[in-house]
């Protein structure tokens, strides 16, 4: 077991540290990265389903650049939380399985653009929407920018975690800037949003289709939001977390991030490492590859996920995919390409492009595979309601929350400097078709969505500091959103990254199985760092 000790270097203020960023100390994501991993590098430990994990190395043989910080009870928070149990239970629906939980909501005002890059000052502020469940040490929950908002994600986790974790921690769900209740971006016209999600590689001139839709989205959002649009990126979100830590009166930021929320915490670890606590990155994006490499990995991972879904579907009655799943899917796509259907609410037109987007949404969550299979089955008979329901959170204002596509589009584009010529994207679509016939062309064309959007003024700092504490990374072998290869590279890039691989399919591993759940619990609650390379079965 790794002994937990307290103490850290004196911390600089948020303004001082972000000023360092503006002075030019940030580095690009493609910078060479080196680092060492916690634990031995020999054969990985394998955890048996429902059995205790093999013990980690003794403290004397588990080197790390910095010790795992001790959990310290916080002081009185500066945030005014108020009961929102009824509202949260309604949003959770059947997922609110623990009736004894109390949920509290609050908000935190943060600077819109604290670091003032290249002398440009953007005045103003925005309110971050927060949810708290529990009364222990704050454990901040950060989600995907285009996924479930952090407040709802934290509420769901509270209904799934072992009681010991809820006795130790208070989960603090935060809707990232521009998402959910945190003054969510809602500037992309509804028809343009649908066109961006309905990219169909088989359409006539699909590259121009993407560029035209992305250009309209950018023009409208620049007109509505002006320079403030530049503030919606992972760099500023990392600054928001430091503001949140201070407002919670917490000595350290302890946090779990899902998907590209892990990028926010990776930036935090680089800029605010003296206040980094116990950090879990669940499905981390690749810190080294550019957008082209990431998209290629995503396409390959989506193919693996589809194969797993097809095998699972074949084991159930009434599977619509038959003996040739790819041909069956392409048949449904051809049907919808010829005769698009309008959902009953009149808001969503389901065509071949929407079909593939709905498929990716369903593949990312294994618990929704029966729902996805049913949606494909009914679509063959002309009923597309199931497919529409899968994509509606990205397209429509729902449950007092804005459509998720807007914030996802601009945050993703402002996190990268890659802008791809149209001809290059079309060539990649052809090249990737051979290796990833279902999804390769789609992911190649999606690379064009950032072209009309300005290149960010500042770039994200690479995770390279040698004095961060151990960080637990979880990677799923069949994750189509943040592929395992990227999570492995993030673990290698972090000086004290410890990778645990789940041999399952779907986006994010926690809390999918007892092995994964117990690993995270021991790390966060008990301060036990697992052996680097530990494998959890499906």
């Amino acid at each position: 077991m790794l002994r937990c000790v307290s103490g850290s270097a004196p911390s600089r203020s948020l303004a001082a540290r972000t000023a360092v960023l503006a002075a030019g100390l940030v580095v690009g994501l493609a910078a060479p990265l080196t680092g060492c991993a916690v634990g031995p590098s020999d054969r990985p430990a394998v955890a048996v389903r429902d059995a205790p994990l093999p013990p980690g190395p003794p403290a004397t043989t588990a080197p790390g650049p910095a010790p795992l910080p001790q959990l310290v009870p916080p002081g009185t928070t500066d945030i005014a939380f108020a009961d929102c149990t009824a509202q949260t239970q309604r949003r959770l629906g059947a997922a609110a399985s623990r009736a004894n939980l109390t949920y509290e909501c609050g908000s935190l005002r943060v600077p819109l653009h604290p670091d003032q890059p290249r002398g440009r000052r953007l005045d103003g502020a925005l309110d971050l929407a927060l949810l708290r469940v529990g009364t222990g040490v704050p454990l901040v929950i950060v989600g995907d920018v285009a996924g479930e908002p952090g407040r709802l994600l934290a509420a769901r986790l509270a209904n799934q975690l072992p009681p010991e974790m809820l006795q130790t921690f208070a989960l603090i769900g935060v809707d990232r800037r521009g998402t959910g209740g945190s003054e969510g971006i809602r500037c992309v016209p509804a028809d343009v949003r649908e066109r961006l999600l309905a990219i169909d590689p088989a359409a006539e001139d699909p590259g121009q289709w993407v560029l035209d839709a992305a250009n309209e989205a950018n023009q409208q959002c620049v007109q509505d939001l002006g320079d403030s649009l530049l503030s919606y990126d992972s760099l500023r979100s990392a600054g928001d977390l430091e503001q949140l830590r201070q407002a919670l009166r917490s000595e350290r930021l302890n946090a779990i991030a899902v998907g590209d929320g892990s990028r926010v915490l990776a930036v935090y670890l680089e800029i605010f490492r003296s206040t980094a606590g116990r950090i879990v990155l669940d499905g981390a994006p690749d810190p080294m590859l550019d957008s082209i490499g990431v998209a290629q990995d995503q396409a390959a991972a989506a193919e693996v996920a589809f194969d797993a879904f097809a095998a699972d579907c074949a084991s159930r009655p009434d599977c619509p995919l038959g003996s040739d799943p790819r041909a069956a899917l392409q048949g449904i796509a051809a049907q919808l390409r010829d005769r698009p259907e309008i959902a009953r609410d009149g808001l969503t037109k389901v065509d071949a492009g929407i079909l593939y987007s709905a498929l990716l949404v369903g593949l990312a969550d294994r618990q929704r595979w029966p729902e996805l299979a049913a949606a494909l089955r009914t679509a063959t008979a002309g009923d597309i309601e199931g497919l529409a329901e899968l994509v509606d959170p990205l397209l429509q204002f729902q449950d007092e929350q804005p459509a998720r596509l807007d914030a996802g589009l601009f945050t993703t584009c402002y996190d990268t400097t890659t802008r791809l010529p149209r001809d290059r994207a079309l060539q990649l679509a052809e090249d990737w078709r051979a290796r990833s016939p279902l999804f390769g062309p789609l992911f190649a064309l999606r690379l064009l969505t950032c072209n009309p959007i300005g290149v960010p003024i500042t770039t994200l700092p690479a995770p390279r500091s040698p004095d961060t504490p151990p960080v637990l990374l979880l990677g799923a072998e069949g994750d189509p959103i943040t592929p395992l290869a990227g999570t492995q590279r993030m673990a290698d890039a972090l000086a004290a990254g410890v990778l645990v691989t789940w041999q399952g399919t779907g986006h994010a591993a926690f809390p999918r199985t007892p092995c994964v759940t117990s690993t995270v619990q021991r790390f966060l609650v008990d301060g036990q760092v697992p052996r680097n390379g530990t494998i959890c079965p499906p």
Side-chain angles (χ1 to χ4, degrees), residues 283-289 297 473 482-492:
D286 195 322
M288 299 175 66
L289 289 182
D297 278 354
L473 294 97
T482 45
L484 177 61
T487 304
Q488 291 171 329
R489 293 188 187 98
M490 179 70 84
D492 291 339

Side-chain angles (χ1 to χ4, degrees), residues 31-46:
L33 302 172
T34 58
C36 58
V38 173
S41 59
D42 54 358
R43 177 182 297 177
V46 179

Side-chain angles (χ1 to χ4, degrees), residues 117-292:
R118 296 185 181 176
R120 174 183 292 182
R121 180 178 180 82
L122 295 180
D123 295 322
L126 58 84
D127 292 315
L128 297 181
L130 309 171
L131 178 137
R132 179 173 67 181
V133 51
T135 58
V137 177
L139 180 66
V140 175
I141 308 298
V142 185
D144 285 285
V145 69
E148 193 171 52
R151 290 183 299 166
L152 191 55
L153 178 59
R156 288 188 188 278
L157 283 175
N159 285 273
Q160 299 172 334
L161 298 183
E164 295 82 2
M165 289 194 69
L166 286 180
Q167 292 168 6
T168 302
F169 294 105
L171 303 189
I172 308 292
V174 53
D175 290 358
R176 292 168 61 176
R177 57 168 56 204
T179 73
S182 296
E183 303 187 23
I185 304 176
R186 54 188 78 186
C187 56
V188 179
D191 65 310
V192 175
R193 201 178 285 137
E194 190 172 280
R195 285 158 55 197
L196 284 170
L197 205 63
I199 299 171
D200 180 8
E204 183 178 352
D205 201 355
Q208 195 60 45
W209 169 284
V210 178
L211 289 172
D212 288 345
N215 187 57
E216 289 185 46
N218 185 61
Q219 287 180 346
Q220 186 62 52
C221 289
V222 168
Q223 178 179 319
D224 289 354
L225 299 175
D227 280 347
S228 66
L229 195 60
L230 297 169
S231 70
Y232 295 100
D233 63 6
S234 294
L235 179 64
R236 279 75 184 179
S237 291
D240 293 342
L241 295 186
E242 175 60 8
Q243 295 278 344
L244 176 60
R245 182 196 67 80
Q246 294 176 16
L248 291 169
R249 301 289 186 92
S250 183
E251 183 177 300
R252 297 271 183 167
L253 179 75
N254 304 293
I256 298 175
V258 174
D260 62 35
S262 299
R263 181 181 288 119
V264 178
L265 282 183
V267 173
Y268 186 96
L269 284 163
E270 182 65 22
I271 304 174
F272 305 106
R273 54 189 175 275
S274 65
T275 53
R278 301 184 181 184
I279 301 292
V280 177
L281 308 182
D282 190 1
D286 195 322
M288 299 175 66
L289 289 182
D290 61 15
S291 297
I292 298 174

Side-chain angles (χ1 to χ4, degrees), residues 379 395 420 430:
L395 295 174
L420 201 64
E430 289 304 312

Side-chain angles (χ1 to χ4, degrees), residues 20-37:
V20 170
L21 271 174
L25 294 185
V26 295
V27 293
L29 286 174
L33 302 172
T34 58
C36 58

Side-chain angles (χ1 to χ4, degrees), residues 297-314 319-333 355-366 369 372-373 376 387 435-440 443 477-481 504-507:
D297 278 354
Q298 287 176 320
E303 297 282 340
V304 172
F306 178 78
D307 288 341
F309 163 71
D312 179 81
C313 180
C319 177
L321 298 178
S323 60
D324 190 343
R326 279 177 166 73
L329 182 69
Q330 290 166 348
I332 299 172
L355 164 68
Y356 282 105
S357 289
L359 182 64
L360 287 170
V361 171
L363 290 177
D365 186 352
R366 185 161 190 143
W369 283 7
L372 175 60
L376 293 174
L387 295 177
R435 287 169 289 182
S436 305
L438 283 181
F439 300 106
F443 278 96
E477 287 188 350
D479 189 333
I481 307 299
T505 302
H507 181 45

